[in-house]
Amino acid sequence: MKAAVLFEPNTPLQIEEVSLRKPRSREVLLRTAYAGLCHTDLHFMEAQTPYPMPVVLGHESSGIVEAVGSEVTYVKPGDHVVTCLSVFCGTCAYCTTGRPALCFNEEAKLPPGKADRLKWDRPEKVNTFMNLSSFAEAMLVHENALVKIRKDMPLDRASLIGCAVMTGYGSVVNTAKIGPGDKVAVIACGGVGMSAVSAARIAGAERVIAIDTSAEKLDIAKALGATDIVNPANGDAVEQVLELTDGGVDHALDCLGSKRTAEDAFKMLAFDGTATLVGLFKAGETIELTGADFLRERKIQGSLLGSNRFRVDMPRIIELYMQGRMDLDVFISQKIRLEDINDGFQAMREGRVLRSLIDFSAQPA
Ligand code: CXF
Ligand code: ZN
């Protein structure tokens, strides 16, 4: 099968022939239907955090089960599934206290460099990314990296839920627990931020302030339910939010992950407000906060892939989509062939797209 391989940081991905072994015990073999290009893939392509290479990236995908290992009970061939990098063991303290996204039991969630699932005709090992490696025509994953979905859910929209939508929605619903009456600011309206805007509106937030430097993205955020938009190109974002809210927001979500945006998120809080850091920081990047600002009970917290319980959350998001209450169609800027993956990442770098999806049914020209 074909897969997009990253050999070295800051080089184009290369389409290579690789293979997968047969599923063992709790493993499942999938035909990949769609895979989204996420900023996290770009983050690792640029080695902002190191990862063992060569590696088949990709971690936001949908597919159809082809074969299962002898101990798999959750899915059967033909099932439609969404993948999630939050593989859970189901038995550790995090899993059994309702926080499976924090599971790090290495029996289920293999650490970087550990998986032996991908093979090829070269002496060096080809690594699996985050237990998934979605930029490939097929995937071999633990059954606890999958959620079954209804078959009438379009697989292209479903793939988005595997990362961006789960992360944005979960940061609102699970991590920040936003509810009616809350004033919310969402910094950076990519796939994650846009999903957070949508989810905050669905959760009943009184004000949903979308913040981004792209006028087009702010237009989409408005259509998804933002009550206000703030463009930092028109003046300091913190000042604009403080003015709009007469003293700050109850929740600020930093969906970018940088010193500037995280500090801004904290600075735009009302008394007792909470900043939630959703975006992925470059390894080693630090933030500075003013101690006295904590006096009036402001808080700051992290959110890992929306503190997901994805087997529960993803079907809920799908119901919202099927009922017409959460738009996912607007996220899909373009569908591309695996061969065009580097153009897809270039479009992302230039901020031209919300999501590019690799369509694995599309044949090479
Ligand atoms: C990722 C960021 C890196 C850690 C796992 C979750 N989120 C989205 O791509
Ligand atoms: Zn992602």
Side-chain angles (χ1 to χ4, degrees), residues 38 40 59-60 163 355:
C38 172
T40 296
H59 63 280
E60 181 181 89
C163 180
R355 251 343 182 227

Side-chain angles (χ1 to χ4, degrees), residues 36-41 59-60 85 162-164 167 192 305 355:
L37 275 54
C38 172
H39 275 93
T40 296
D41 299 305
H59 63 280
E60 181 181 89
L85 60 80
C163 180
T167 302
V192 172
L305 221 148
R355 251 343 182 227

Side-chain angles (χ1 to χ4, degrees), residues 4 13 34-43 45 57-61 129 134-136 159-160 163-164 190-192 331 333-349 353-360:
L13 303 182
Y34 293 91
L37 275 54
C38 172
H39 275 93
T40 296
D41 299 305
L42 188 60
H43 176 104
M45 284 163 69
L57 294 174
H59 63 280
E60 181 181 89
S61 46
F129 185 60
S134 309
F135 296 157
S159 67
L160 302 165
C163 180
V192 172
F331 286 66
S333 315
Q334 56 173 353
K335 287 186 186 169
I336 59 174
R337 301 173 311 152
L338 181 64
E339 287 74 6
D340 299 325
I341 191 165
N342 292 304
D343 297 339
F345 279 110
Q346 189 51 30
M348 178 190 290
R349 283 187 198 96
V353 289
L354 219 42
R355 251 343 182 227
S356 300
L357 284 188
I358 299 170
D359 176 353
F360 283 92

Side-chain angles (χ1 to χ4, degrees), residues 1-7 12-18 55-56 120 122 135-137 336-343 345 358 360 364:
M1 67 159 175
K2 282 181 293 164
V5 180
L6 175 67
F7 283 87
L13 303 182
Q14 293 185 37
I15 308 302
E16 298 287 337
E17 199 56 39
V18 301
V55 59
V56 176
W120 60 3
R122 291 167 179 255
F135 296 157
E137 291 173 308
I336 59 174
R337 301 173 311 152
L338 181 64
E339 287 74 6
D340 299 325
I341 191 165
N342 292 304
D343 297 339
F345 279 110
I358 299 170
F360 283 92

